[in-house]
Amino acid sequence: MIQLRLLGPVELVAGERAVEIGPPQRRAVLAALAVDAGRPVTAGVLIQRVWGVSPPDGARRALHAHIARLRRLCEQTANDAGDVQLCLVRRSGGYLLQAPPDQVDVLRFRRLADRARETGRTDDDRAALLREALRLWRGEPLADVGGQWAERVREAWRRQYVDITVGWAAVESRVGDPLTVIGPLTDLLDEFPLVEPLAETLIRALHAAGRGAEALDRFATVRRRLAEELGADPGPGLREAHRTILRGNPPAPARRTAHRQTSELDPYAHLPARPAPESAPEPSPGPSPVTVRWPGAIPAQLPMGVRRFTGRADELAELDMVLASAAVEPSAVVISALSGTAGVGKTALAVHWARRAQAAFPDGQLYVNLRGFGSDGSVMSPAEAVRGFLDAFGVPPARVPVGLEAQTGLYRSLLAGRRVLVVLDNARDAEQVRPLLPGAPGCLALVTSRRLLTGLAVAEGAHLLTVDLLTPGQARELLTGRLGVSRVNAERAAVGEIVGRCAGLPLALAIVGARAAARPRFPLAALAEELRRTDNRLDALDGGEAPSQVRAVFSWSYEALSPGAARLFRLLGLHPGPDAALPAIAALAGIPASRAAALLAELVGGHLLTEHAPGRYTFHDLLRVYAAELVDTIDSDRERHTALHRLLDHCLHTAHTADVLLTPQPNPVPLPPAVPGAAPEALTDHEQAQAWFAAEHTVLVATVEQACASGFDRHGWQLAAALTTFLDRHGYWRVLAALQTSALEAAHRQGDRAGLAGAHRGLGLALDRLDRVEDARRHYLLALGLFAELGSDAGQARTHQHLARMSAAQGSPQRALDHAGHSLRHYRAAADRAGQSAALNHIGWLNAQLGEHHEALVHCRQALDLAQETGDLNGQAHTWDSLGYIQHHLGRHAEAVDCYRQAVDLFHRTGDRQSEAAGLLCLGDIHRVTARPDAARTAWTRALTLTDELALPDTDPLRTELRTRLDGRPEPAFGPPEQSSQPAVRTVPVRVVPETSTP
């Protein structure tokens, strides 16, 4: 039999022979297909699983090559093994790996656990099934697959492994000998020392084995660790186990059974068996789930450290003492704040120490540049920084709460009980930092700022450390590290003068060292002479802090550039930042991307620019100031205006293309042609559009503000409109509100009524999402009036759609129905068939809520026809979901099952995992009421696994409902008492009205 093994290294096994799969990336593709064996997976989902959310340009070609080779590998393996069930085929919308569930170890693992939970089974049967499931676990799942998707899946599977091990131990103790479980539980608790149900099960097993003293020692150890790492006391289960031991309740005699069997394949069969205590509770229908808080990912955000870092021994030792104090004061959050002048090396010191101390923070390292002193005013808000940290932990956009306070609470909850290093670089003041500090012990926050953050020391007990200019000896050491001992000793006088002219500023010394190292035969005395002749300074060092010759040093690197690179460096002073991609830089300069790449390589080589990620470039703050000074003095007003126009056209036209790809639009409003040289990017599909927005949205937000401040008002409000869908879908609602406020002001200055209408609608949407309902309604109504004046049916349709959703959320279904009817009429007038589909589905859903199920069915069937006609998979999925709900309430259970299966498959293809999980919940409910408990449990278990992958909190309504079903607890019936015979199909909110076209 052929087996696909994922619970360990990825393996394809035919009989006893391991089949060679190929390189790690091909193994990752096979794993990404195997987890959904028997179901199609879209190319976009596969690319995201294997290459992440920002895949390289050749990812799709590489995927097709791996698929072709895997297809041949499956055919050859199946032929050799005589197994016709393994094959890889192309299906509409994706690729399907056909393999029976028992041939994929993780699917068999889940099926065995599900069977163990079935009612009516004996404990002997349960124990045998769970032992068989645990034998499939071969170590670290997906051990040879990297990336965020693999890490999220590993964490979800580890949680299931802990759950099943605890359930197995409880049942095994009842049917055999508790000694059987002590070894495995001890090993697992060493790996997960804070999982209380695991500790409780081990302690009860030790007591039942007559090892009460060892059980008490184990309890003391767990209690101490909970206090030290979480600041918490043991929960009620652990406390009750402790009291049972202290009361001296003797263990019960062993209960041998005729059904118990062991196998030499059983990893625990060699251990003697023994009974559970007499006071053990009655067996539950299945193993109890364990609540474990897992992050969606382990962040590792520290930037690259400085090569040949030298000096700062005292500062490093002081930071080491700060880290050591964390062990002495386990109940405190440890904060250290480094302050010093610009260019003094605060960031280099912080990153170097952070990398050196990385092993002390196994749960991750967060880093953010707060841009507190950016020359362009682009200071990062705490809300933006917190949102970035939530993204780093893999929190899905749909699970990010509204408001800074709630987001900060979620961020601190993710840090609780973990050891994470948080580096907050370039902070403006204490207020910018406070929301980003951890809330519980175990973590360390390292802050850098040009200002002495006394407020942090007073209120938060921060340890303050000033990073001074280098002494002459330290400066000489820095140059020696870059130039070598012999060269420095050969020109002692010149080195002394260079050290003096650079005023001990590490940034200036680093540039001198780089220039000298690049010209090994150039005498250092000549460099000293240049410094002596140049007597001007960079004035923007925060109001004249430490005098230095930084501008002079910068000028050396600049004057050594070719004319093309020098021009590009100056023009980069116009870019709004915080970083720039190659295509945008090429547009700014009006040159081909290949030429821009060559010039950028020259700038990076001259240490005037940093390529911090492939194809993305950034400045040091002082270099940005210097570039802005140069472009302002050397280039004419016309040259600056033309360059900025090219950049804005590049951003606007590319964003417009991406927005149309994200939301079907029959007749998108055309833009004026882009100016020559703007070269907008040629995005071709939904995945490319999504990836481009994900990479560029921070830059685009800054670009809107720059456009509005530079006289390009039309670009400002048009770019804000193009960003609306992306920012809304990803939960950036405060950013969207600020952006649309700027757009509104720009449209007012221009007197552009189309711009005003779009900005009012976008601002209304942002305020609606932020629960500012009355303000949102006011802007929606203003937008509606303006769209009516303009004769824009598309604008009116979309705005009525917003008002319908808002009214339904406020419990006014009749008002919502009125708005949905207006939305449909305007979509028809605009000939927007995808919009008509969404409106019809909304009308059908609202009729179903009012009990008009037959009328609802008519509207939703019309909606489905249109969605299929336009190829709108998202609209089809939501409409099938509505039809499932309606068919169930008409008593047509078979039709309802088919509808929900269609919805679930489409949600899976489009990557909407949360809607997929909600659809599986409903599908399982219908299976239950049609007396198919096994199918119901399978659907619910699949849904719960999806919520694990999404990292939804245990308090999430969807997870709560799924746990209720799987635990066998009754749930409230749907509707009023007279309808109690109709079981609940939807008890959690599911979005059934997708946002479609935009005006």
Side-chain angles (χ1 to χ4, degrees), residues 461-544:
H463 178 90
L464 301 183
L465 175 60
T466 300
V467 182
D468 289 322
L469 297 169
L470 298 176
T471 64
Q474 292 170 333
R476 182 181 291 271
E477 182 183 354
L478 188 152
L479 286 176
T480 301
R482 285 158 172 76
L483 304 178
V485 176
S486 58
R487 190 174 180 189
V488 169
N489 287 342
E491 294 190 73
R492 289 179 175 273
V495 169
E497 185 167 1
I498 289 170
V499 166
R501 296 287 178 180
C502 288
L505 194 68
L507 178 62
L509 288 161
I511 294 176
V512 172
R515 186 175 183 217
R519 305 169 71 182
R521 292 183 176 82
F522 196 82
L524 298 180
L527 295 177
E529 173 63 21
E530 286 187 41
L531 273 177
R532 192 182 311 128
R533 288 200 309 268
T534 309
D535 191 24
N536 54 2
R537 295 171 180 163
L538 191 65
D539 302 321
L541 281 176
D542 201 16

Side-chain angles (χ1 to χ4, degrees), residues 548-737:
S548 64
Q549 297 292 329
V550 174
R551 185 187 283 115
V553 175
F554 287 167
S555 71
W556 297 341
S557 296
Y558 171 74
E559 289 167 4
L561 296 171
S562 65
R567 173 179 176 268
L568 182 58
F569 176 76
R570 296 195 307 273
L571 291 177
L572 282 169
L574 299 174
H575 192 280
D579 65 353
L582 171 61
I585 294 173
L588 181 67
I591 56 179
S594 57
R595 174 61 177 156
L599 297 177
L600 287 167
E602 184 179 346
L603 292 174
V604 170
H607 298 274
L608 289 170
L609 209 60
T610 300
E611 188 176 12
H612 71 97
R616 300 197 71 86
Y617 301 83
T618 189
F619 278 122
H620 181 280
D621 284 352
L622 298 182
L623 285 164
R624 185 182 295 277
V625 170
Y626 182 61
E629 284 184 358
L630 290 176
V631 76
D632 217 29
T633 55
I634 296 175
D635 297 276
S636 68
D637 290 345
R638 180 181 179 81
E639 288 169 327
R640 292 194 300 273
H641 184 275
T642 302
L644 188 55
H645 196 169
R646 282 193 301 266
L647 175 65
L648 293 174
D649 267 11
H650 170 87
C651 293
L652 175 59
H653 281 259
T654 309
H656 185 264
T657 299
D659 187 45
V660 171
L661 288 169
L662 289 186
T663 50
Q665 301 177 44
N667 298 299
V669 178
L671 296 173
V675 296
E681 296 186 50
L683 309 176
T684 58
D685 57 31
H686 183 282
E687 288 81 6
Q688 288 185 2
Q690 181 72 20
W692 186 80
F693 269 133
E696 297 290 345
H697 73 272
T698 302
V699 174
L700 295 174
V701 169
T703 302
V704 171
E705 301 298 339
Q706 184 183 41
C708 295
S710 305
F712 290 92
D713 285 327
R714 187 173 183 83
H715 284 80
W717 69 256
Q718 287 181 327
L719 185 53
L723 272 164
T724 298
T725 296
F726 175 85
L727 293 176
D728 173 47
R729 290 184 181 176
H730 289 262
Y732 293 105
W733 299 314
R734 290 188 178 278
V735 174
L736 179 60

